[in-house]
Amino acid sequence: MGGEQGHSSAPEQPAPLVAVILAGGSGTRFWPLSTPQEPKQFLTIAGQETMLQSTWRRLDGLVPPERRLVITGQQHVQQSAAGLEGLDPRNLIGEPERRDTAAAAILGTALASRRWPGATVLTLPADHVIEPTEQFQQLVREAATVARREQSLCTIGIPPLYPAEGYGYIERSEPLPAGDGLRVYRVRRFVEKPNSRRANGYLQKGNFYWNAGIFLWPADVLLDEARQFLPEHERQLSALADAWGRADFQQQMSAAYAAIESISVDVGIMERTGRATVVEANFKWSDLGGWTALGERLQSDGGRNHVLGQVMLNDCHDSIVYNTDQGRPLVCIGVEGLVVVHTAHGTLVCPKNRVESIKQAVNQLYA
């Protein structure tokens, strides 16, 4: 009898959850508040902490610090480390050049698969606003269960509030089994940022979500799909993960990044895979993607203006006016529908309906 008990199998251990925080943004949409040297994730525009610090703290109680990886630009490694309590310096990876999100997602997943076998990986941007934390964490746990059960690439879909042209969309198909109150579906397709007519159509159909760029996947599933759809990424970055901890890791990283194209994980994998699932979000979310989104969080006056800093408005309407220079007032007279921003880095004057052009202008400015 005792011998039989000795051969009984131990309870199966849950797959470790590993977080990969993507902190490589370039900061063009919030110029002149942000710059390539200090992009959005290092700004305190949504509270007292930087956006990266808020993202890090949002994982407390969900993923232990030793299982969190932060992937940023090489030039931002020191900035990224600031205020991240419990960060293992070895888990802070500086990319030698920008290669969009596919490289960071695949590298982070490859590292997770080697260091924590059987890992489920949560991949998320460093610069989003998510509230409340408790609902976010519970949904992540549920989505991780879905990803493991379905052996899928699971994304979190945001129910659209309006026909946004600045977000990618996810079209859901048939529902999947889910816990109480959870809505889970297979994904029919991912679509890139639509024009106004298509965005309105997506909203009216009712089976589309905003794509928040938050993913959960078993590490081996993502690497299998990368091997199929981005084989050079998978080959180079898996080999790089094998070199983690070695003295030549940074040298190997430079060679690997030079060999791969710049492509997002959405375009490179999610739009091509047949293994995508989506869990509907039940928390408040914003990517604070530009001045219009930030304006909604600023103090409002009677003229539908949103303001911050030493500002005087006379007969102004429906404008965002932002001044970080405490020594010089910013005065606007008779303007409507403008974004007016003044900081130590420069001054921006732009119609609200042209904010998508800021990125292109800033790229030319810093070219």
Side-chain angles (χ1 to χ4, degrees):
M1 191 71 125
E4 291 176 2
Q5 289 179 340
H7 288 288
S8 63
S9 59
E12 184 178 342
Q13 295 298 311
L17 184 61
V18 177
V20 176
I21 301 174
L22 309 182
S26 59
T28 53
R29 295 183 188 277
F30 274 107
W31 190 88
L33 185 61
S34 66
T35 66
Q37 291 72 40
E38 191 176 39
K40 181 176 69 165
Q41 62 268 28
F42 304 118
L43 300 178
T44 56
I45 55 178
Q48 299 302 309
E49 303 175 298
T50 70
M51 300 196 77
L52 173 56
Q53 289 166 353
S54 294
T55 300
W56 179 266
R57 189 169 49 80
R58 192 176 298 126
L59 299 174
D60 290 348
L62 179 67
V63 181
E66 63 270 18
R67 291 208 306 264
R68 303 179 201 172
L69 305 175
V70 178
I71 301 183
T72 188
Q74 183 63 49
Q75 71 274 30
H76 295 135
V77 165
Q78 189 171 350
Q79 284 170 291
S80 296
L84 303 189
E85 187 175 351
L87 172 68
D88 183 340
R90 300 173 301 169
N91 289 358
L92 179 54
I93 310 297
E95 296 180 296
E97 49 190 313
R98 291 177 57 80
R99 284 295 180 265
D100 215 321
T101 56
I106 295 168
L107 175 59
T109 301
L111 286 167
S113 73
R114 283 149 178 77
R115 296 171 59 189
W116 300 283
T120 301
V121 178
L122 164 65
T123 301
L124 71 166
D127 55 1
H128 290 182
V129 177
I130 293 174
E131 300 165 333
T133 293
E134 294 76 14
Q135 284 180 223
F136 166 76
Q137 290 192 356
Q138 184 56 36
L139 196 76
V140 166
R141 292 186 183 99
E142 300 280 4
T145 299
V146 170
R148 289 191 292 265
R149 185 190 72 213
E150 301 292 333
Q151 288 293 287
S152 68
L153 309 182
C154 185
T155 186
I156 295 177
I158 310 297
L161 302 177
Y162 57 90
E165 299 175 52
Y167 298 144
Y169 285 73
I170 304 160
E171 184 179 9
R172 70 185 190 218
S173 59
E174 70 269 20
L176 292 168
D180 290 343
L182 196 68
R183 297 173 181 267
V184 183
Y185 303 88
R186 295 204 182 278
V187 170
R188 176 168 287 121
R189 60 176 174 144
F190 286 77
V191 291
E192 286 297 294
K193 298 174 183 177
N195 58 29
S196 177
R197 181 182 60 81
R198 287 184 176 174
N200 271 293
Y202 296 160
L203 198 65
Q204 291 170 12
K205 289 185 73 173
N207 64 333
F208 281 82
Y209 297 112
W210 287 339
N211 180 6
I214 304 172
F215 305 103
L216 287 118
W217 45 56
D220 57 346
V221 174
L222 185 278
L223 295 175
D224 283 348
E225 296 301 274
R227 198 171 295 118
Q228 179 177 353
F229 299 114
L230 292 175
E232 190 64 13
H233 276 66
E234 193 280 330
R235 187 175 74 83
Q236 293 284 348
L237 299 174
S238 289
L240 179 60
D242 291 334
W244 185 84
R246 293 197 329 226
D248 65 342
F249 178 77
Q250 208 60 45
Q251 179 182 349
Q252 295 292 329
M253 193 174 192
S254 294
Y257 270 61
I260 59 177
E261 65 176 319
S262 180
I263 191 170
S264 71
V265 70
D266 302 83
V267 173
I269 296 178
M270 299 306 295
E271 291 183 6
R272 303 174 184 178
T273 184
R275 302 175 71 173
T277 54
V278 59
V279 175
E280 182 176 306
N282 59 359
F283 48 78
K284 295 180 181 178
W285 170 90
S286 172
D287 73 340
L288 281 189
W291 283 109
T292 303
L294 180 59
E296 295 170 358
R297 300 178 65 88
L298 300 179
Q299 178 183 344
S300 179
D301 68 6
R304 302 196 316 276
N305 302 298
H306 295 85
V307 301
L308 184 141
Q310 191 174 353
V311 168
M312 187 181 81
L313 305 183
N314 188 333
D315 191 27
C316 298
H317 305 280
D318 194 27
S319 293
I320 298 167
V321 185
Y322 194 107
N323 182 19
T324 64
D325 189 338
Q326 296 306 311
R328 292 183 175 86
L330 178 55
V331 178
C332 294
I333 301 172
V335 304
E336 182 170 357
L338 289 186
V339 176
V340 182
V341 183
H342 177 66
T343 76
H345 302 300
T347 302
L348 170 72
V349 180
C350 174
K352 288 176 70 176
N353 62 6
R354 292 288 305 278
V355 291
E356 291 297 320
S357 302
I358 295 174
K359 180 175 182 178
Q360 181 181 357
V362 173
N363 286 336
Q364 292 174 344
L365 182 66
Y366 290 99

